Amino acid sequence: MKKASATLLAMTLGLAMAAPVAHADGYGTAGCGLGSILFGDDPGIIQVLAATTNGTFGNQTFAITSGTSNCADSGGGSASAKAFIEANRESLSKDIARGQGETITNLSALAGCADEAAVGTTLQKNFSEIFPEASVNDTQVSESVLQTLKSNTALSCKLLS
Amino acid sequence: MRLAITLLTTILLAGCAGRLKMADRPKPPGTPYVDALVERAMHDRLDRSKQWLRLGHYRPERFGDGWLSEADHPRFFLASDGQDNPRAELEATLRGFFLPPVQELPVGKAGFARHPICRFPARLAYLAEALEIDMARLPTQACPRYGKFLGDVNPRSVTLVFSSYFLNNPASAFGHTFLRFNKAQTMAVGQKRELLDYAINFAADVDTGNSVIYAFKGLLGLFPGTTKRMPYYYKVREYSDTESRDIWEYHLDLTPKQLYMLVAHIWEIGHTHFDYFYIDENCSYRIHMMLEAANPEIELIEQLGPAVLPADTVKVLFDNPGLVREVTYRPSLRTELMHKVEALDSEQRDYVERLADRADAPLPGDWNDARKVAVLDAALDLVDTRHVKDLVFKRDPEAARKKQSLLERRADIRVPSEDRPVPVPWGRQPQIGHGSGRLGAGVGLRDADAGLLDGGFLALDFRLALHDLADPSPGYPELAQLEFLPLRLRLWKSEDDAEALLEDFSIVRIVSLTSVSRFDMSMSWHVDFGLRELEGEGCRRCLAGKLRGGTGLTGSFADEAVSLFLTADAAIDLAGESDVGIEGSFVRAGLGPAGGLRLRLDPELILLTRGSFLFYPEQPDPRVWRVDSALRWGLSQNLALSLEGAMLDNRREGQLLLLGYL
């Protein structure tokens, strides 16, 4: 029994030491994109641990007292709409292709647009300008979405300046 | 169980529960009015009032009869000994409110509030009411950043959000909880724009990618836990899209005053951190401490055990009648995909699969738009579930091109997608699941070869957490098993006295089964790590260290009521003082197939049979097989009857246990 528990302890340590280790530079990207809050590495022990214990990487942007940075703001207006588009890009691209959906409803509210259905149809029509190819980055996407909303004055997105 | 954990945590915590060292601060000058307030507060013993103690996150000291705040930054205290002296802190707070006004940081600047009025608005609200403070006598202090915070959050109501388990990652079966403030204006228009609401999340600020350091720091409370505010959409994208976690929302019934206290208190704790302990002082614990601080009438923390599991914290909400107004559900992207696919015929499903591989594959020309849209929508969700992280991190151009091509094709069809909401799986609500710990006892009978214990025995069962495949299924993922410290003991009566035998013990045992479908080819796997009675002839009644694992495939049918799994297993046994291992050593190593069948006859009645056949080449027991079966019937939420049997080369045994979940 004594020997068994000693071996057990050795196994624990061995297992822990042999665990694949992620690197601290693997997560986080600049900007408001979803990448700024996710673990970037492929699944490994660290992700399992984080899932178990709900650890996150400290992000000053979201501190309660940090003042309102762009990424933490969902109060309406161009800056918050831009952050929304960048963080929701993958989901929003599908809703734009479909011409409707939750992200379009919420984006319309941020931009102060009168008619979200019209926003959906307009964005869908302009799909190829917003997403001309797979490699456009999040900032380019957010700029073209906002440009589309602003230039279609019939949408009267009054919170965009 | 509580004793064991208390002991364990005490050992872990010894040495790191040190108090804050703070320089003595000058006592603010008093005026007769302030002196009178202080005197009255002391006379009324407000320093021992429930709400004052809760606002300060004071808890009874582990040793001794004093109080100690769990807040770990001096910024949260105005008295130099405020962390363990609620009385001094109360006096310093009252006097602090009457300090001359200062210039606060302007809106948009990061930093901390300076004047106590701006830093402690919840304390102010509480004391102003309790002592009937004449607000006109307070200094005229502007708090622009706090005002902005209040205006941004602007809540009509608050929701406790539970993100449930993470497919193929049973570690997340514990879940996570955070708060969401539902904005007044979005609710007012009657349209759900909850993505724009603010989430309040408490988590450990992790500063390492090293898993060993991570584990140790987390157990010892060496990570600071901080409170963060972010738009809810970050949380939805994280849990729903990238982690395939369904979300349960518990809408709380707070009065406007309680709601204000909650927001004000969250601002206060934005000025401190709390050492984060995985086991007890974790995210869900702190969220409950915040709720209690805002509402002295509710009792949450006292209902929790020594280990705080997020699902347990959801359960205790319901111990306060009327606190939960409504429960809602948000399916994950993967759940949505599976729901979409269900509505398709087999020809359409073929095309979904084809498109996810070759995005430019043509669709039949005779299909109408609705048919094409259904297939394109499902294919897009499929590409997302497979590649979401690659897409977010832009590390797989091929996946990005695939998605781009499908998006273009979808955008060309100007027809709305059919709106088919996912039916709410009420049977999976975490609060209806069995308790997280387990204790049980029963009787058994063994028929074994000579040399082994034989005859009748008493069986004892213990498990710290959480769930196995045979446990009643309501509230838990159907095909995931996650166990910490499961223990089976047997008491045998021999001629003159009783003998205890450890039958099986694991530090951790995980089974993750994922039903293979054409849209999800994830592997199933299991690991088990601990001690067990050795099988085979070479060493009888030997206790062996075990490290076993395997990987394979699972097929599920009839809404996961029938699941069959097959894995290729490897085992290493460390058989104590024996020589049954490789070349006469005590190390055995084996390989072989294993598998099982799980039948959910009813959510409360599960039949689980598992078998394995391991080869130990060149070792004294070259072939070891065993079959285990359990039929478990949930009598109520926290009580089950388990009939279990096992067959091995040299023994057959059966036992009947009554299991209580706590």
Side-chain angles (χ1 to χ4, degrees), chain B residues 7 30 127 129 136 147 251 254 264 270 273 283 286 354 356 372 387 401 404 422 449 465 553 559 561 604 611 637:
Chain B
L7 279 175
L127 293 173
E129 192 186 358
H251 305 282
L254 298 191
H273 65 262
C283 54
R286 193 59 53 196
R354 195 172 305 173
K372 289 180 189 163
H387 300 290
R401 272 195 293 276
Q404 172 73 15
V422 175
D449 293 357
L553 297 173
D559 196 22
E604 306 275 2
Q637 184 174 0

Side-chain angles (χ1 to χ4, degrees), chain B residues 184-418:
Chain B
Q185 67 268 29
T186 55
M187 300 284 284
V189 293
Q191 182 100 41
K192 271 199 152 184
R193 287 173 187 148
E194 62 189 26
L195 292 185
L196 308 181
D197 290 334
Y198 284 110
I200 299 293
N201 191 54
F202 180 79
D205 287 344
V206 177
D207 56 5
T208 174
N210 181 306
S211 46
V212 180
I213 296 174
Y214 185 102
F216 276 94
K217 286 183 89 168
L219 284 170
L220 296 175
L222 297 176
F223 289 126
T226 58
T227 315
K228 300 274 165 70
R229 173 188 69 141
M230 64 201 69
Y232 185 50
Y233 58 74
Y234 277 104
K235 289 301 193 192
V236 170
R237 300 280 84 91
E238 177 182 2
Y239 291 124
S240 169
D241 295 5
T242 69
E243 298 190 348
S244 300
R245 294 166 82 159
D246 293 344
I247 286 172
W248 288 97
E249 300 163 318
Y250 297 85
H251 305 282
L252 304 183
D253 200 5
L254 298 191
T255 63
K257 184 182 140 200
Q258 291 162 348
L259 205 52
Y260 173 77
M261 285 300 278
L262 183 57
V263 180
H265 180 61
I266 286 166
W267 173 263
E268 290 178 348
I269 59 174
H271 290 79
T272 183
H273 65 262
F274 299 86
D275 293 341
Y276 191 94
F277 296 88
Y278 294 157
I279 295 169
D280 49 6
E281 290 176 34
N282 53 28
C283 54
S284 298
Y285 172 88
R286 193 59 53 196
I287 292 289
H288 272 18
M289 289 291 280
M290 295 177 204
L291 287 173
E292 279 196 344
N295 182 351
E297 283 136 43
I298 58 171
E299 295 294 340
L300 302 168
I301 299 294
E302 289 307 316
Q303 322 283 339
L304 295 170
V308 178
L309 273 64
D312 290 341
T313 69
V314 171
K315 285 177 193 157
V316 304
L317 292 176
F318 289 87
D319 293 341
N320 293 267
L323 182 58
V324 177
R325 184 165 42 81
E326 195 193 352
V327 182
T328 54
Y329 167 78
R330 172 187 281 270
S332 69
L333 178 63
R334 185 180 186 280
T335 305
E336 295 239 26
L337 167 65
M338 292 307 167
H339 181 65
K340 276 181 189 158
V341 166
E342 265 173 34
L344 303 180
D345 61 36
S346 71
E347 189 192 13
Q348 284 176 303
R349 290 182 197 189
D350 287 342
Y351 277 99
V352 171
E353 199 182 2
R354 195 172 305 173
L355 287 181
D357 289 331
R358 277 194 45 231
D360 56 352
L363 292 173
D366 58 345
W367 280 16
N368 62 23
D369 282 349
R371 240 179 123 68
K372 289 180 189 163
V373 160
V375 166
L376 285 166
D377 282 349
L380 274 164
D381 286 354
L382 180 56
V383 170
D384 265 357
T385 52
R386 283 182 183 167
H387 300 290
V388 65
K389 278 199 159 183
D390 298 331
L391 293 169
V392 167
F393 288 100
K394 328 270 184 237
R395 61 190 179 198
D396 185 348
E398 183 51 37
R401 272 195 293 276
K402 231 182 246 179
K403 184 169 177 188
Q404 172 73 15
S405 164
L406 289 171
L407 286 170
E408 285 168 7
R409 295 179 68 179
R410 176 64 188 87
D412 284 342
I413 308 176
R414 305 282 161 81
V415 167
S417 308
E418 196 194 345

Side-chain angles (χ1 to χ4, degrees), chain B residues 299-614:
Chain B
E299 295 294 340
L300 302 168
I301 299 294
E302 289 307 316
Q303 322 283 339
L304 295 170
V308 178
L309 273 64
D312 290 341
T313 69
V314 171
K315 285 177 193 157
V316 304
L317 292 176
F318 289 87
D319 293 341
N320 293 267
L323 182 58
V324 177
R325 184 165 42 81
E326 195 193 352
V327 182
T328 54
Y329 167 78
R330 172 187 281 270
S332 69
L333 178 63
R334 185 180 186 280
T335 305
E336 295 239 26
L337 167 65
M338 292 307 167
H339 181 65
K340 276 181 189 158
V341 166
E342 265 173 34
L344 303 180
D345 61 36
S346 71
E347 189 192 13
Q348 284 176 303
R349 290 182 197 189
D350 287 342
Y351 277 99
V352 171
E353 199 182 2
R354 195 172 305 173
L355 287 181
D357 289 331
R358 277 194 45 231
D360 56 352
L363 292 173
D366 58 345
W367 280 16
N368 62 23
D369 282 349
R371 240 179 123 68
K372 289 180 189 163
V373 160
V375 166
L376 285 166
D377 282 349
L380 274 164
D381 286 354
L382 180 56
V383 170
D384 265 357
T385 52
R386 283 182 183 167
H387 300 290
V388 65
K389 278 199 159 183
D390 298 331
L391 293 169
V392 167
F393 288 100
K394 328 270 184 237
R395 61 190 179 198
D396 185 348
E398 183 51 37
R401 272 195 293 276
K402 231 182 246 179
K403 184 169 177 188
Q404 172 73 15
S405 164
L406 289 171
L407 286 170
E408 285 168 7
R409 295 179 68 179
R410 176 64 188 87
D412 284 342
I413 308 176
R414 305 282 161 81
V415 167
S417 308
E418 196 194 345
D419 188 21
R420 287 182 68 248
V422 175
V424 180
W426 295 113
R428 295 266 167 260
Q429 295 178 90
Q431 80 273 19
I432 65 169
H434 60 73
S436 50
R438 194 176 77 187
L439 265 180
V443 289
L445 198 61
R446 178 192 261 187
D447 172 27
D449 293 357
L452 287 167
L453 288 166
D454 194 28
F457 59 86
L458 284 174
L460 298 173
D461 172 270
F462 165 81
R463 186 177 67 201
L464 183 63
L466 173 74
H467 179 77
D468 68 49
L469 291 178
D471 283 326
S473 65
Y476 284 92
E478 195 71 54
L479 296 177
Q481 167 169 338
L482 172 65
E483 297 185 283
F484 283 100
L485 308 182
L487 171 69
R488 281 289 172 91
L489 271 178
R490 286 176 178 178
L491 296 172
W492 300 82
K493 201 174 164 332
S494 53
E495 284 98 62
D496 15 58
D497 60 342
E499 198 171 345
L501 178 75
L502 181 73
E503 178 201 349
D504 199 356
F505 165 73
S506 296
I507 292 173
V508 61
R509 184 157 61 201
I510 302 177
V511 182
S512 173
L513 305 181
T514 309
S515 178
V516 166
S517 71
R518 55 203 305 183
F519 303 116
D520 187 353
M521 291 299 289
S522 301
M523 301 293 281
S524 296
W525 53 272
H526 68 99
V527 291
D528 183 7
F529 173 47
L531 292 168
R532 80 186 299 166
E533 187 186 5
L534 199 66
E535 300 114 337
E537 289 302 308
C539 182
R540 292 169 177 225
R541 298 172 61 180
C542 280
L543 208 52
K546 62 174 175 183
L547 175 54
R548 296 189 169 188
T551 180
L553 297 173
T554 302
S556 276
F557 317 93
D559 196 22
E560 301 185 325
V562 181
S563 301
L564 262 166
F565 50 97
L566 194 65
T567 54
D569 281 17
I572 295 172
D573 301 328
L574 304 176
E577 290 117 38
S578 78
D579 52 2
V580 294
I582 301 164
E583 296 186 351
S585 73
F586 65 98
V587 182
R588 291 206 311 176
L591 270 179
L597 169 68
R598 180 183 181 274
L599 293 176
R600 185 189 65 215
L601 306 164
D602 177 89
E604 306 275 2
L605 185 63
I606 311 282
L607 175 66
L608 176 70
T609 300
R610 298 179 67 173
S612 65
F613 195 93
L614 291 170

